[in-house]
Amino acid sequence: MRKYLIVVSTITMLMASLISAWAAEITASITYIDVQARIIVIDHRAFHIPKSIKIGAFKVGDQVTVVYEIVNGQLKVVSIKIG
């Protein structure tokens, strides 16, 4: 029984790490930007922008493609480009 629990725990941890590393992509127009909070809203979803990305380069109405990850329930931008 103990070996079974160890195996199940290991598989669960591996699955959790794979799910957290999963990235998705969306292309849509920016509907809201909060420069201070570093958040943009696209398609009714709030995305958190890392400090490595210049948020000032974007404006409401820009059509963007965003690659993002879900980290602790938040949508974290990995990369963003206009067009």
Side-chain angles (χ1 to χ4, degrees), residues 34-56:
D34 185 335
V35 176
Q36 297 293 354
R38 304 195 59 78
I39 293 174
I40 62 170
V41 175
I42 301 170
D43 197 27
H44 306 288
R45 294 182 251 175
F47 293 87
H48 297 266
I49 308 293
K51 291 183 180 181
S52 60
I53 296 174
K54 294 180 181 178
I55 195 169

Side-chain angles (χ1 to χ4, degrees), residues 64-75:
V64 294
T65 299
V66 176
V67 176
Y68 65 94
E69 295 177 334
I70 300 172
V71 179
N72 297 327
Q74 294 183 338
L75 304 174

